[in-house]
Every structure is written in structure tokens, then in C-alpha cells.
Amino acid sequence: MSSTAPDGPVSSGISRRGFIAGTGSVLGIAALPGRATAARAETARAAAPIASGAHVPALVIGTGYGGSVAALRLAQAGVDVHMIEMGMAWDTPGSDGKIFCNTREPDYRSYWLRTRTKAPLNYFLGLPIDRDIPRHTGILDAEEFGGITVYQGRGVGGGSLVNGGMAVTPKRENFGAVLPSVDADEMYDVYYPRANAGLGVGTVDPAWFDSTACYQYSRVGRKHAQRSGFPFVFVPDVYDWDYMEQEAAGTVPRSALAGEILYGNNHGKKSLQQTYLARARATGRVTVSPLHRVTSVAPAAGRYTVVIDQLNTTGDTTAVKTVTADRVFFAAGSVGTSKLLVRLKATGVLPGLNGEIGRGWGDNGNVMCGRANHLWDPTGALQSAIPCSGIDNWAAGGAFAEVAPLPTGIETFASFYLSITRNPHRAEFSWNAAAGRVDLNWQASWKRPSIDMARTIFDRINSREGTIYRTDLFGVYKIWGDHLTYHPLGGAVLNRATDNYGRLTAYPGLYVVDGALIPGNTTVNPFVTITALAERNIERIIATDL
Ligand code: FAE
């Protein structure tokens, strides 16, 4: 599998219909690129990875939400952008003809440089389900710190490659706690709508939801929530809902209905590759270097010197490149950006970064659990891997719970949930000089408040339904999946580590544009807020700094 290959035409692994659907909603709000622009886009796609000695006006570290928004808007403003991405391009099918592997059959494509899978839900019926795999630059990183495993996407598209696509705008009354220094009116009038349009967000058709076998598990979740008096809400998603209906009808290849999610969706999901990044590339001004990892950013005569390792697919460094950039945008995700900035400050490369660097990191209060239903409440052998609903007990109990799938392909009689909770704990990244790495001081016991908040929902449901918690999903007799997060946030918090628009003010031309800006919690799933904040900040930066 050639992993550095540039993007080709729509590959056989992604259906043309799915691709067009994916880009269509975006192209609908943007002018179609003209022939000259399209030709330049082709040139960008064919471009070789960045060369040592190159100079670029804008260098973006990472290709997730923050990076993709920054790249698109800079390019539209006439700035040439080079994006550096440590993960693979994910544009070339493997020997099975598919780009991504299935959640039920993880192979070399599944994990980032591991020799054994580390499934978030790692037991079933009390038995461990992890298996050996070849070490490869796979798509999902399970990065282990002392007290928590942080799951992140690796590749062109960042977290959008592996996530559930749940695209949730926080309730307005909760926004003040999410980003206290940001004008809520502007966000809800301008930037959240812009982000939702750019991401191609949609909601399941309620009539289809009520009739399809693949959301039986969600309907059971609704029944149980409502009988206990909790508000049940539909949750928007970037999955193409028309495509999913066709999957259910058997007229197109299945993705969500074939259990694809954690290791990528071969069809249906509008990842950033199909939305923001497609538009960015169509400008002809954006080039991407996959399998390149930034290791240093240092000031040099009014510019920045950026050191980059080129990787092969077993994770070895095959070349070290040095380039210069007028501006550098840190978009390596909450963990990636925080680790870089903390190390560069502590090792004297960027000593002027302020004391807030590395602080304010939170897990968005993530905690998982399952409930064992009665035999008359089956949740279905066929489950869409894309969640579409939640239980909102934020105001009363500090928890918002996704009704999540267990797409095992067999009837489990289980209801499964990922809760986002108002966990008050915040951790700090620090440089461990002896070990030569960045540590995070999160404590495993800090999940206790999250469990208590999730219990405000599920204790009541269990009591009403006469059901119990599953104890076989996270170990032997272990109820709570409290060892992980999917939603790392913070580490370079807005208006503390940066100014109120993400500028690292000690170093003009350095910016943070990703989830590192958000102080630990978004009350709901985070990527719409990350996208909207990036839209707000880059608009200001383009207007005033360029
Ligand atoms: P992110 O998307 O993580 O992108 C950072 C990129 O930078 C990655 O591609 C990295 O490989 C790359 N990178 C890191 N370090 C370097 C370096 N040194 N040099 C070059 N490249 C580098 O950042 N959120 C939702 O809102 N809804 C969901 O349904 C949802 N489900 C999720 C399910 C899973 C399994 C996971 C893991 C996450 C989920 N999330 C969900 C979280 C969401 O994907 C995440 O908040 C965003 O992706 C974060 O966006 P950023 O732009 O901050």
C-alpha cells in the first residue's frame, strides 16, 4: 500500500455517489471552481511532499478540523498553504479493495504504531477482544498517559476519519461555560451556522428512524429515557443520511450498516476529506504532506524554521527536513499542539511562551457504560454504527449521554452509552526532561465525578426498567469505561495561553487553531465548536494580521 501517494481521482473505495453527496452540500454554498482553479488543484494533488529548504507563506501543522478551516480560509484569502500531517493520506485501497478496515476485523490499518489493538470497548461477555496486528501507521491512535488513554485520529482529515460524525452545537445557555471570553451572539449568529454548513451537517429523518431496523437500539434508548422522564433528542451528524437509507434498502455498499466507524468509513461519512479539505484543495493553493511530523518550530530572522520528520509506514524516520514559514498554525489537536508547545517552551526553543501553556486540559467528561435489557427489549442484530440520538440531563445532573451502538452483528440485549459530563478536573502537560517526553498529570480517580453524573441518568432508568448495568464490556465485573477519552480539549487555552483569537503573542505569526484552545469541556461532542471557533479566529487573523 503506497501511503505517500498523492490524492488520485475518487477511488474505488469511496463510491462516486458518496463522494458527490459529500462534497455537494459544500459546493452548494461555494462557487464551483473554474477550469484554471481545477487545473491548479490537480497540480496541488500531484505535488510532491514538502522539500527540505522550502519556504512557505503559511504552514499548518495537522489536518483535522482547526487545520482544515485555517487552510481553506487562508487559501481563499490568496495565501499559499502547506499542511503537514503525521498520519497517512488514506486515499489508496488495500489488497481487499477498501481504504479502511472494519471495526469487527481490525488489521494493520487500524492502529497507530501498535502491535496489538486497544479497542475502547475491550471486553465482550467478559472476554478480552484485543488481537495482534502488524505495526503500521494506522488510523486510530490510543495514546497512553499515566491516568488516561486518549483516542485520536491519524491521517489527512484528523479526527474526522475515525469519529462518529455527531455534529452537536452546544445549547446556547451553556456556551458561557464553554468559551467564556467569546461573544455568544457572534458564534450563534455567524460561526456555528458557518461551521454546520461547511461540515455538511444533517439529521436523521424521524419517520425513517421510527421504521428502520438499524435504529431499534436508539428507539429502545428513547423509550427507556422517556419513561424515566429524561428529554430524548435527535443528534445531527455529518453522515449522509440519504446514503444510509439506501444502505438499509440494499441498493448501495454498506458502511454504517456494516459496522464501519472507528477505523474509518468507506462510504457515507462526510469526513473533512470530502468537505473543508476538498474545498481547500480546489483553491489550488493548498498542498498536503502526509507521513510528515513536525518536531520543532523556532524563530529565525522574522520567520520560523520548522523541522519535520518524514516517516515510513512502520513509523521510522526516513528523512529530516528543515523548511521556513512566515506563519505557523498549530492544529495538531489538543494533545499534539500541547505536547509541541510544552516541549518547545521547556527546551528553550520558544522560551517566551507564557505560563499557561500546557494547562487547562480536560477529557470532556467522557465515560461509557452499558445496560442489560430484558429479553423483550432487543436492541437489534443490525445496528447503524452512526449514533443519532442522546439523553439530555445536563442542567439537572451534568450529563449528556449519546445512545451509542454496539454493532457486533448479533443480538446483545444491551443498551450502550457514551456520556459527556461536567467533570471539573483539569490536567496539565509538563516536560519530563529525564524521559525526554511530555507527561500529563490526569489522575484515574478524577473520573469519579463523571461516573456520578452519568449515574443520574442510568441509575434512574435501571430502577424504572428493573434492569442492571452490564459488567462484561470493560473487563471482568467492570461497569464503567472510565479509562479513556475521545474528546481531548485544552492545553493552550484561548485568552490564557493565547490572546482571544489564538495568537501566541510573544511570537508574531504563531497561532493555535484547534481543540487545544477550548478549556476542557464543550457540554456536547466537540468538533462543531472546534470548527466554529476556528472560523471565528481565522477570519479575524486574516483581516488584521495578513
Ligand atoms: P484533530 O482532528 O485531532 O487533528 C489533529 C491532526 O494533527 C491529526 O491528524 C494528527 O495526526 C496531526 N498531528 C498531530 N501531531 C502532529 C505533528 N507533530 N506533526 C504533524 N501532524 C500532527 O484535531 N467529536 C464529535 O464532535 N463528534 C463525534 O461523534 C466524535 N466521535 C469521536 C470518536 C472517536 C473514536 C474519536 C477518537 C474522536 C471523536 N470525536 C468526536 C472527537 C473529534 O474527532 C475531535 O474533537 C476533533 O477531531 C479534534 O479536532 P482538532 O482539529 O483539534
Side-chain angles (χ1 to χ4, degrees):
M1 173 169 188
S2 162
S3 44
T4 45
D7 279 6
V10 179
S11 79
S12 56
I14 296 182
S15 77
R16 181 157 290 276
R17 191 202 169 281
F19 181 84
I20 291 168
T23 51
S25 60
V26 176
L27 294 176
I29 58 165
L32 280 166
R35 193 174 294 176
T37 317
R40 290 211 306 169
E42 279 312 310
T43 313
R45 280 168 211 192
I50 198 161
S52 205
H55 172 75
V56 293
L59 185 140
V60 176
I61 309 172
T63 56
Y65 293 91
S68 298
V69 170
L72 171 63
R73 301 306 176 197
L74 286 164
Q76 288 176 330
V79 180
D80 286 332
V81 180
H82 202 109
M83 305 181 82
I84 306 293
E85 170 55 55
M86 69 192 265
M88 305 207 312
W90 299 110
D91 59 0
T92 309
S95 57
D96 60 358
K98 295 183 175 173
I99 292 179
F100 305 111
C101 70
N102 196 286
T103 313
R104 295 174 195 144
E105 292 292 329
D107 62 20
Y108 67 98
R109 290 168 286 195
S110 56
Y111 281 87
W112 178 257
L113 301 179
R114 280 185 172 272
T115 54
R116 194 164 170 77
T117 63
K118 193 169 174 67
L121 192 155
N122 51 348
Y123 277 73
F124 191 62
L125 302 174
L127 297 173
I129 58 171
D130 282 316
R131 57 164 80 174
D132 292 341
I133 45 167
R135 182 181 156 90
H136 190 82
T137 45
I139 199 163
L140 185 63
D141 194 354
E143 190 169 359
E144 292 178 83
F145 292 97
I148 194 163
T149 302
V150 183
Y151 285 87
Q152 297 151 90
R154 294 278 174 248
V156 177
S160 78
L161 295 166
V162 299
N163 68 31
M166 296 180 79
V168 199
T169 300
K171 279 186 168 171
R172 193 171 173 141
E173 63 259 37
N174 297 332
F175 183 77
V178 175
L179 284 164
S181 63
V182 173
D183 179 347
D185 287 343
E186 265 185 14
M187 288 295 280
Y188 284 83
D189 292 349
V190 179
Y191 301 110
Y192 274 120
R194 188 176 293 172
N196 278 296
L199 293 164
V201 175
T203 307
V204 66
D205 171 6
W208 182 70
F209 171 85
D210 274 329
S211 62
T212 179
C214 69
Y215 280 121
Q216 167 81 11
Y217 73 94
S218 268
R219 294 195 296 274
V220 169
R222 175 176 63 185
K223 181 174 70 178
H224 290 173
Q226 290 179 339
R227 287 208 293 224
S228 286
F230 292 114
F232 171 90
V233 291
F234 283 117
V235 173
D237 203 282
V238 298
Y239 203 87
D240 180 339
W241 293 105
D242 291 340
Y243 189 86
M244 199 191 296
E245 289 191 27
Q246 292 173 62
E247 289 182 51
T251 55
V252 294
R254 285 183 164 186
S255 182
L257 269 55
E260 290 182 351
I261 178 164
L262 271 186
Y263 312 132
N265 283 84
N266 285 295
H267 312 277
K269 192 164 84 183
K270 288 172 274 182
S271 75
L272 290 166
Q273 287 183 339
Q274 281 90 17
T275 57
Y276 274 95
L277 285 171
R279 291 174 67 198
R281 284 179 145 151
T283 64
R285 292 192 177 277
V286 177
T287 315
V288 183
S289 287
L291 283 174
H292 281 61
R293 178 170 52 201
V294 171
T295 60
S296 180
V297 178
R303 294 176 167 179
Y304 292 93
T305 300
V306 182
V307 183
I308 305 168
D309 286 348
Q310 182 168 5
L311 308 176
N312 64 18
T313 54
T314 45
D316 308 311
T317 300
T318 55
V320 178
K321 301 179 178 180
T322 302
V323 304
T324 54
D326 298 332
R327 296 168 199 283
V328 178
F329 294 82
F330 287 82
S334 158
V335 174
T337 291
S338 303
K339 285 196 327 190
L340 269 173
L341 293 176
V342 163
R343 180 167 54 76
L344 295 176
K345 175 176 164 60
T347 55
V349 180
L350 294 175
L353 293 175
N354 77 23
E356 290 289 331
I357 293 293
R359 297 201 176 141
W361 186 87
D363 69 340
N364 211 24
N366 282 187
V367 66
M368 294 176 178
C369 68
R371 295 178 36 255
N373 292 317
H374 295 294
L375 290 182
W376 58 83
D377 258 344
T379 45
L382 174 68
Q383 300 197 358
S384 169
I386 297 296
C388 70
S389 62
I391 303 169
D392 184 1
N393 196 37
W394 190 263
F400 174 86
E402 291 173 13
V403 180
L406 263 183
T408 57
I410 57 169
E411 176 57 60
T412 62
F413 297 98
S415 286
F416 186 57
Y417 308 90
L418 167 62
S419 297
I420 292 158
T421 64
R422 200 192 286 132
N423 189 306
H425 292 293
R426 295 294 178 268
E428 182 174 350
F429 291 95
S430 60
W431 176 240
N432 179 337
R437 62 159 194 260
V438 175
D439 290 335
L440 178 67
N441 69 350
W442 182 270
Q443 307 294 308
S445 61
W446 288 359
K447 287 285 191 179
R448 191 70 240 172
S450 292
I451 293 173
D452 292 341
M453 290 171 194
R455 287 183 59 181
T456 65
I457 297 176
F458 304 115
D459 279 5
R460 197 193 315 170
I461 290 180
N462 276 338
S463 159
R464 168 69 180 75
E465 300 298 326
T467 51
I468 57 172
Y469 288 103
R470 292 282 290 230
T471 57
D472 63 324
L473 301 176
F474 302 104
V476 181
Y477 294 111
K478 182 163 166 38
I479 291 176
W480 297 98
D482 58 357
H483 56 297
L484 57 75
T485 185
Y486 285 175
H487 300 164
L489 293 167
V493 169
L494 188 78
N495 213 29
R496 298 200 326 231
T498 72
D499 77 352
N500 205 22
Y501 290 89
R503 299 181 186 95
L504 291 161
T505 47
Y507 296 98
L510 294 191
Y511 308 89
V512 177
V513 288
D514 59 14
L517 291 171
I518 297 176
N521 200 294
T522 49
T523 72
V524 290
N525 314 62
F527 75 61
V528 174
T529 297
I530 294 171
T531 305
L533 183 64
E535 289 279 19
R536 166 193 180 269
N537 292 353
I538 199 70
E539 186 174 86
R540 173 64 66 101
I541 288 164
I542 288 169
T544 59
D545 294 18
L546 298 183

